[in-house]
Amino acid sequence: MTQDLFRTLQKTVKENWKQYVLAVISVAVFIAAWHLYASYLREIDSGYKGYIPYPMDVAEALVDSFQYEDPNTGLTMSDHIGASLERIILGFLIAMVVAVPLGLLMGTFRTVDAVGRPIVELVRPIPPLAWIPIFIVVLGMLWGPVAIVALGIFFPVLLNVMFGVRSVEPTLMDAAKTLGAGRGQMFLKVVLPFTTPYLMTGVKVGLGIGWMCIVAAEMVGNYGGGVGFFIKDTADVGEFEYMYAGMIVIGLLGIFTTGVAGFIETRLSRWMGMK
Amino acid sequence: MLEALSMERNVLYAIIVAAVVIVSSAAAVYVLSGDDEPKEKYPVYFVTMGVTTMNAALASGEIDGFIAWEPFGSEAILGDIGEALIWSGDIVPNHPCCVVVASTDYLELDLGGGVSGASMTTRFVKAHAEATSWMVDALDDGDGANYTLLVDLGVQFTGKSEAIVESALDHMKYGYQMDLSFMEGITNFTEMFIIGGAITEDKLATGGYEDVDDFVEQYTNETFLDAESTVQPSDVILNPDDPVRIGFLKSDIHQLAQWVAQNKTVGGGAKSLFETYGVNVVNASAVGGYSSGPEEMDKFAAGEVDIGYLGCAPAIQKHLNAQVHTVIVAQANSEGSAIVVEAGAGIESIDDLQNKTIAVPSTGTIQFVLLKRAVNDEGLELQLKTA
Amino acid sequence: MTPCIEIESLSKTFIKGRKEVRALADFDLVVPDAQFVCLLGPSGCGKTTVLRILAGLESKSFGVVKIKGKEVARAGSDRGMVFQEFALFPWRSVRKNIEFGLEIKKMPEAERREVSSKYIDLVGLGGFEDAHPKELSGGMKQRVGIARALANEPAVLLMDEPFGSLDAQTRNLMQKELLRIWSATKKTILFVTHSVDEAVFLADRIVVMTARPGMVREDIGVDLPRPRDRTSKEFISVRGKVLAELDEEFEKARAKELSPD
């Protein structure tokens, strides 16, 4: 399995080497521009020069954060990542457990849809971040952030599953019927497999939102640390090199998780023969 | 067959003997070592959360206590949610809390006509000093008219009830001098911040300071206080077009002085203290106050605040870590925080805090430093609570 | 012998918004076992509706519909259907598609494999058992469709313009293949098509339907021996006859479209 993965990776890199080179160049240009701006601010002794540290200092802080144990909390960046990951995974599981069955039900049965729709449409536009203070007070500092993440992941998954169910081609349903399938079997053997790639799309989108939620939630109240906590903590005392380092960590984690989800999504679609 | 049986029995005897030996030696070790070790001490746990959510968290049982600046402690006490375990003045007497900070960019500003940011700052500090003295006298006044006015002003400024304001005023000390006690307190806090990682020690050098003492020396600018005696009242407002943009924290009763200095009655009826000294002021924040010290420092960095009141912690940390162009020009208050614990939970001493969870606003605050001090002095550890 | 298909006075009315659309009216048809019947007619004449009602995918408004003497109600595996859009399950391999109906019947795995192998060979897809639909050409997909329906051993095979999506050459090929499969399995086939040529090539009997509301206009027997030569005199003659019937109905249908009902 790992050999396959490695070979696929090699293949992808070989096929897309031009894109990768361009990506590296663009990142390098960005860093150079950042460095120049930071220099400029120091030249003119701007009041906020400390808020734009040199890229090198951020890189140093990034490395340091993994090695250095904070004297007050006893945590390193690895610990923070672990804490945030824990909450995201928990929130993710909760969201999936509720959203998938609900999405399947709402997509299939008009009555369930009629009951659920108004609530969904009312709550959906509210950004999960708005709920943070309430959730943390009502649910506490462990389940508050987890609930925020769950809320953030819930809607994309729910809507994509619903959409998937509704998108099942009617002829496939007809074919299943003429092959003797009853409602239950149609659901298990046609609707479910058909919806899976849509589900993965929802997961991919949801995970992106989930990271944003966990960072914001951790800034409001927490225990056990977390990358969001780290960012707020370092920003509060003005250690901006570390703050940026924390932001980079979030960015990378986000890319990684959504990348994995996207990879699974493409694989699944291909296997389903739908791409 | 008999031989086999006796073989088995021998093995059995051997095992029993071995077991007895092991168990008795373990018991011996335990008994012998038991006497030398003191009874195990549990840590005190902390979590971070915004001050405005602490009351609710205490009420819901999410936390066992919190440490915060007034009026949040009094709010909990008077709401029957919490009781004061210890006031910060009892942990470290006279510890500095809030300070008056001026933007060094503002100080260098020339406003024309012989007026400069520095000259306005001198007058501002004068008004601040007089307002502070007025408040101290009013507090000593007991039931006098000034006391009532002070409470009214407190209610206006914080939006909290009279009872809460009175309780808060009871437990704090206003002062404007940067005396020896103040300087020692600032030095002490700075060292604590460095040890606790809230300040990167390298940053001292970046700021051009040799060491902590050098920093404290340079960062507390006494010229404005020293000039106090020479400042005369002014008949006209000296900066009509460029009001001093004041920063302060919402509802933070420690920073009442600037509100008092804007009040006409305090100023004698016709003019406020600021007006008496010819100072035009305006709130820097559109919503009348910032929600945190770090936020106010950000506004300093953005050039939106000329003179501000805030906690000494962010004033020190963001200046050193992020080179914000500020300098301390006066004190605002000392003490005025408390460790509040759940009412009726039977927590009567720091020792009782073992295994309990206390909320702090953030690890960069002086409240955290004070909590750590109180806990460590009792021989206990302060640990971050983890899931 | 009970006829395979018996349709008596079948009518179907759809409600579209405020309007009532009479798709079928008084449609009669009797098909004996193992006969190959083509349903031909102008667009909207209801020929697909007949098929769907037989399959149980659509309900009837009035009339009697029997398969092998039993009235039909809901869809079931005794009436296999092949679709113009193939309707293969994209996530299943060829073999798994064919085994779908057998899985429904809870047939054990070994038996399923035997049956699916048999039909894979019958439709000429040997070697492609594990391929997925997206790897197959149109013709091959339809072979899977046919095999899938046949694997359930239905009493009748209902085919709804099954070769409509294929190019001319593949279509011709598939027509020949269908005849081969039909003679091997002896199924009763009801085949809906637009193409006169196709109908004459394939059917024992061509039922020409009227324009909407659909009923039987003409029931033409095609007595020619198979394989039929498209260029032969007889073929052309039958074709001409059918076309004549059809053209009139086409005109009527066009007229109806132009004047709102």
Side-chain angles (χ1 to χ4, degrees):
Chain A
M1 223 304 246
T2 29
Q3 270 191 334
D4 268 339
L5 235 65
F6 190 63
R7 239 175 270 147
T8 328
L9 227 71
Q10 275 184 318
K11 204 167 72 130
T12 339
V13 172
K14 259 194 226 151
E15 282 171 9
N16 300 323
W17 69 271
K18 273 193 211 137
Q19 281 183 338
Y20 289 130
V21 170
L22 277 172
V24 169
I25 292 181
S26 104
V27 169
V29 167
F30 174 75
I31 294 182
W34 174 3
H35 182 97
L36 284 172
Y37 184 53
S39 295
Y40 167 70
L41 287 178
R42 280 154 184 78
E43 275 277 318
I44 63 169
D45 197 25
S46 155
Y48 50 85
K49 68 185 182 198
Y51 288 64
I52 311 279
Y54 282 114
M56 262 316 283
D57 294 329
V58 173
E60 248 183 73
L62 182 59
V63 171
D64 189 53
S65 66
F66 280 94
Q67 301 167 331
Y68 154 88
E69 217 181 77
D70 182 275
N72 290 324
T73 59
L75 301 174
T76 63
M77 181 58 87
S78 318
D79 298 316
H80 289 302
I81 295 179
S84 294
L85 261 176
E86 242 179 64
R87 294 175 191 125
I88 281 231
I89 291 176
L90 258 175
F92 174 75
L93 288 174
I94 295 176
M96 292 292 278
V97 162
V98 182
V100 172
L102 191 61
L104 290 170
L105 283 172
M106 280 176 72
T108 315
F109 298 107
R110 298 227 161 242
T111 29
V112 180
D113 185 47
V115 169
R117 258 321 169 91
I119 307 173
V120 169
E121 289 303 314
L122 259 175
V123 178
R124 184 165 62 104
I126 305 174
L129 308 193
W131 295 100
I132 293 180
I134 304 175
F135 275 28
I136 294 209
V137 168
V138 172
L139 297 173
M141 281 181 296
L142 171 61
W143 292 108
V146 169
I148 298 285
V149 172
L151 189 64
I153 298 182
F154 175 81
F155 285 106
V157 172
L158 178 76
L159 294 171
N160 271 281
V161 168
M162 271 172 62
F163 184 63
V165 171
R166 304 251 175 88
S167 301
V168 179
E169 290 149 24
T171 37
L172 282 182
M173 302 289 265
D174 283 344
K177 280 187 206 159
T178 60
L179 292 164
R183 287 201 90 167
Q185 288 160 323
M186 281 209 292
F187 183 78
L188 281 172
K189 289 183 181 291
V190 183
V191 175
L192 227 44
F194 191 91
T195 312
T196 318
Y198 291 85
L199 171 67
M200 285 315 297
T201 310
V203 166
K204 187 176 74 166
V205 173
L207 277 177
I209 298 180
W211 274 112
M212 187 176 61
C213 292
I214 198 60
V215 170
E218 283 175 4
M219 292 188 186
V220 174
N222 88 12
Y223 52 81
V227 193
F229 167 80
F230 179 87
I231 290 177
K232 171 162 195 292
D233 207 43
T234 48
D236 270 353
V237 299
E239 285 174 334
F240 289 109
E241 309 86 0
Y242 287 89
M243 183 193 82
Y244 283 107
M247 287 163 63
I248 292 178
V249 169
I250 292 277
L252 290 174
L253 282 170
I255 293 177
F256 178 69
T257 39
T258 46
V260 168
F263 177 73
I264 298 179
E265 181 201 10
T266 339
R267 268 320 189 79
L268 241 138
S269 293
R270 274 205 215 128
W271 173 66
M272 292 284 186
M274 278 149 70
K275 264 224 183 321
Chain B
M1 228 275 267
L2 266 176
E3 282 165 327
L5 262 178
S6 65
M7 274 295 282
E8 278 186 5
R9 219 184 292 154
N10 286 342
V11 170
L12 191 58
Y13 287 154
I15 292 175
I16 294 177
V17 168
V20 168
V21 168
I22 292 173
V23 168
S24 41
S25 20
V29 167
Y30 177 69
V31 165
L32 286 175
S33 60
D35 274 333
D36 289 339
E37 278 176 14
K39 180 169 165 277
E40 202 185 310
K41 291 250 179 192
Y42 297 106
V44 178
Y45 294 105
F46 78 89
V47 296
T48 58
M49 66 172 28
V51 274
T52 47
T53 45
M54 285 183 182
N55 268 287
L58 188 63
S60 73
E62 178 75 25
I63 51 177
D64 300 304
F66 64 78
I67 178 169
W69 53 87
E70 287 295 275
F72 296 99
S74 289
E75 200 175 349
I77 296 167
L78 288 167
D80 287 326
I81 305 170
E83 48 196 35
L85 180 62
I86 182 173
W87 290 91
S88 62
D90 295 323
I91 304 177
V92 178
N94 290 323
H95 70 84
C97 183
C98 288
V99 292
V100 181
V101 159
S103 154
T104 48
D105 293 331
Y106 178 69
L107 290 175
E108 290 165 14
L109 211 54
D110 183 6
L111 295 168
V115 178
S116 66
S119 68
M120 293 316 301
T121 305
T122 311
R123 291 175 167 274
F124 185 99
V125 169
K126 174 75 178 178
H128 164 77
E130 283 202 15
T132 308
S133 302
W134 183 90
M135 292 197 292
V136 172
D137 290 336
L139 280 172
D140 282 335
D141 204 6
D143 294 313
N146 278 345
Y147 178 76
T148 317
L149 176 57
L150 177 62
V151 173
D152 272 344
L153 290 173
V155 170
Q156 271 177 46
F157 179 61
T158 61
K160 306 286 178 193
S161 74
E162 231 180 77
I164 293 178
V165 169
E166 283 193 15
S167 166
L169 289 171
D170 223 9
H171 290 100
M172 60 191 313
K173 293 186 183 163
Y174 290 111
Y176 64 88
Q177 297 282 22
M178 297 200 289
D179 54 12
L180 190 61
S181 167
F182 174 81
M183 303 292 273
E184 272 178 16
I186 296 286
T187 308
N188 186 35
F189 278 145
T190 308
E191 283 169 352
M192 291 281 97
F193 293 147
I194 293 177
I195 293 173
I199 296 179
T200 329
E201 194 163 4
D202 300 340
K203 292 292 175 77
L204 278 173
T206 316
Y209 306 107
E210 275 176 36
D211 53 24
V212 173
D213 289 324
D214 185 33
F215 159 70
V216 174
E217 187 58 47
Q218 291 192 47
Y219 196 51
T220 49
N221 188 328
E222 293 157 337
T223 47
F224 304 96
L225 280 173
D226 287 343
E228 196 212 332
S229 47
T230 60
V231 175
Q232 296 303 321
S234 165
D235 293 326
V236 293
I237 298 289
L238 293 167
N239 61 333
D241 300 320
D242 302 288
V244 177
R245 296 169 302 172
I246 314 180
F248 55 87
L249 300 190
K250 260 188 277 215
S251 304
D252 191 333
I253 202 167
H254 296 181
Q255 302 167 6
L256 195 51
Q258 47 86 25
W259 186 253
V260 165
Q262 293 182 52
N263 180 270
K264 292 207 193 300
T265 318
V266 172
K271 289 187 185 181
S272 72
L273 283 169
F274 280 134
E275 285 166 349
T276 307
Y277 289 99
V279 182
N280 184 14
V281 298
V282 77
N283 278 350
S285 154
V287 295
Y290 300 112
S291 17
S292 70
E295 187 192 338
E296 191 172 331
M297 284 301 274
D298 292 341
K299 300 300 180 187
F300 265 108
E304 285 177 27
V305 182
D306 298 319
I307 301 179
Y309 291 66
L310 72 168
C312 56
I316 294 171
Q317 289 156 357
K318 277 208 166 166
H319 171 79
L320 278 174
N321 284 328
Q323 298 98 48
V324 179
H325 295 168
T326 47
V327 77
I328 300 178
V329 296
Q331 186 184 173
N333 81 304
S334 57
E335 305 184 355
S337 296
I339 301 181
V340 174
V341 294
E342 201 185 324
I347 302 174
E348 312 209 322
S349 68
I350 303 282
D351 205 55
D352 289 339
L353 289 178
Q354 290 183 62
N355 263 334
K356 299 275 187 267
T357 305
I358 307 294
V360 301
S362 92
T363 55
T365 53
I366 60 166
Q367 282 74 21
F368 180 76
V369 172
L370 290 164
L371 176 66
K372 195 162 156 75
R373 177 72 176 269
V375 166
N376 288 156
D377 280 352
E378 203 69 22
L380 298 172
E381 292 265 316
L382 185 63
Q383 274 185 30
L384 178 71
K385 180 155 184 198
T386 48
Chain C
M1 260 274 271
T2 340
C4 187
I5 304 177
E6 284 171 86
I7 303 178
E8 211 183 294
S9 307
L10 178 65
S11 64
K12 171 75 184 178
T13 313
F14 289 104
I15 316 268
K16 257 190 172 165
R18 295 271 170 86
K19 296 207 311 193
E20 269 190 6
V21 176
R22 290 173 71 218
L24 294 171
D26 233 10
F27 182 89
D28 295 310
L29 183 66
V30 176
V31 181
D33 275 339
Q35 191 173 67
F36 196 129
V37 176
C38 269
L39 273 185
L40 207 52
S43 298
C45 70
K47 50 195 193 294
T48 300
T49 312
V50 170
L51 223 59
R52 291 178 66 85
I53 292 177
L54 260 174
L57 296 172
E58 211 82 72
S59 62
K60 62 176 155 54
S61 303
F62 183 80
V64 180
V65 180
K66 291 190 188 159
I67 299 277
K68 284 242 181 274
K70 272 176 59 193
E71 278 210 54
V72 305
R74 300 180 0 207
S77 58
D78 58 327
R79 289 146 285 150
M81 189 147 173
V82 179
F83 301 85
Q84 182 176 9
E85 321 86 345
F86 317 121
L88 301 184
F89 302 115
W91 58 89
R92 282 174 171 253
S93 66
V94 165
R95 184 187 287 284
K96 284 262 159 208
N97 258 285
I98 296 173
E99 287 182 6
F100 189 89
L102 309 175
E103 282 175 26
I104 304 276
K105 289 200 183 117
K106 305 222 189 331
M107 194 183 279
E109 196 186 328
E111 231 184 290
R112 289 203 308 257
R113 265 194 99 87
E114 250 188 76
V115 175
S116 58
S117 295
K118 175 172 125 190
Y119 283 98
I120 289 174
D121 287 334
L122 176 64
V123 300
L125 279 175
F128 290 93
E129 297 88 344
D130 297 320
H132 277 75
K134 70 172 198 257
E135 303 164 50
L136 306 173
S137 69
M140 293 162 82
K141 283 191 203 155
Q142 203 52 294
R143 289 174 201 253
V144 179
I146 294 170
R148 181 176 68 177
L150 287 177
N152 277 336
E153 314 257 318
V156 60
L157 196 60
L158 305 168
M159 306 182 81
D160 190 359
E161 306 201 47
F163 307 140
S165 311
L166 307 174
D167 64 85
Q169 277 184 314
T170 317
R171 191 166 188 165
N172 278 344
L173 176 64
M174 286 305 294
Q175 285 162 359
K176 293 199 192 102
E177 285 292 288
L178 180 59
L179 288 176
R180 178 183 63 76
I181 296 168
W182 174 60
S183 71
T185 57
K186 305 266 185 273
K187 286 288 173 208
T188 314
I189 298 187
L190 192 53
F191 190 107
V192 163
T193 179
H194 259 126
S195 163
V196 176
D197 186 277
E198 185 169 62
V200 177
F201 186 79
L202 291 172
D204 290 328
R205 211 168 124 201
I206 300 179
V207 174
V208 180
M209 289 175 69
T210 62
R212 201 202 317 143
M215 56 186 91
V216 178
R217 179 192 164 98
E218 197 62 59
D219 196 331
I220 304 170
V222 186
D223 227 349
L224 307 171
R226 296 185 181 87
R228 294 172 184 169
D229 179 0
R230 286 183 157 92
T231 57
S232 73
K233 247 191 334 187
E234 296 84 359
F235 192 98
I236 295 173
S237 150
V238 176
R239 200 164 149 268
K241 190 156 151 222
V242 175
L243 264 173
E245 298 287 328
L246 211 46
D247 276 343
E248 250 191 60
E249 286 306 316
F250 264 118
E251 288 306 311
K252 281 201 206 145
R254 186 109 46 84
K256 262 223 176 81
E257 266 171 49
L258 293 175
S259 67
D261 239 11

